[in-house]
């Protein structure tokens, strides 16, 4: 999964550089507009995939037994997950990380959870 995203980003970069070069040589902008439109669609698809992955991770965290996930925030970007927020006990930090890593599509989990007693 990680490799395919990397290849997508590389392909977008190569196409954008080629169009920019052609644009600089002949002054036409129709090719540049097409590439920008295509990359805009790809960005839109990537944002949608990130939202879908974020929801899948949140769903898994919520269903995990022994994990209080109501104060956990999930951020997803290209297969990388950031867990932020608070848990009431230290062992829940590792549990949250393990659960998030088990979701299909997750490449890396950056766990920034901290322990904070409930009610604080």
């Amino acid at each position: 999964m990680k490799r395919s995203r990397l290849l997508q980003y590389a392909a977008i970069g190569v196409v954008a550089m080629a169009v920019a070069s052609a644009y600089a040589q002949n002054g036409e902008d129709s090719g540049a507009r097409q590439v920008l439109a295509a990359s805009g669609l790809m960005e839109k698809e990537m944002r949608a995939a990130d939202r879908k992955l974020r929801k899948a991770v949140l769903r898994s965290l919520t269903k995990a037994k022994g994990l209080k996930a109501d104060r956990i925030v999930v951020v997803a970007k290209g297969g990388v997950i950031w867990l932020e927020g608070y848990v009431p006990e230290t062992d829940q930090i590792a549990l949250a990380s393990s659960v998030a890593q088990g979701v299909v599509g997750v490449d890396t989990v950056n766990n920034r959870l901290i322990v904070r007693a409930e009610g604080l």
Side-chain angles (χ1 to χ4, degrees):
M1 187 77 164
K2 194 174 190 179
R3 183 185 286 181
S4 66
R5 290 197 192 278
L6 186 60
L7 290 174
Q8 287 176 343
Y9 292 134
I12 290 171
V14 168
V15 171
M17 288 180 9
V19 169
S21 175
Y23 175 74
Q25 290 176 4
N26 63 16
E28 295 181 17
D29 67 344
S30 61
R33 286 184 184 171
Q34 290 175 354
V35 168
L36 290 175
S39 66
L41 288 175
M42 186 165 283
E43 287 177 20
K44 192 173 187 179
E45 292 169 358
M46 287 188 291
R47 284 193 307 270
D50 289 341
R51 281 192 303 272
K52 184 177 178 182
L53 183 59
R54 177 185 169 276
K55 286 181 183 179
V57 171
L58 277 171
R59 192 175 312 115
S60 293
L61 291 172
T62 303
K63 291 181 179 182
K65 294 193 188 270
L67 179 63
K68 187 157 177 71
D70 61 333
R71 294 190 292 169
I72 297 176
V73 175
V74 177
V75 178
K77 181 82 173 167
V80 178
I81 298 295
W82 284 270
L83 300 176
E84 299 176 348
Y86 309 101
V87 291
E89 299 173 5
T90 305
D91 60 337
Q92 291 191 10
I93 293 173
L95 178 59
S97 202
S98 175
V99 169
Q101 189 65 53
V103 174
V104 175
V106 173
D107 297 324
T108 306
V109 176
N110 295 315
N111 193 333
R112 297 180 183 165
L113 294 172
I114 60 173
V115 176
R116 181 181 281 177
E118 291 189 44
L120 296 178

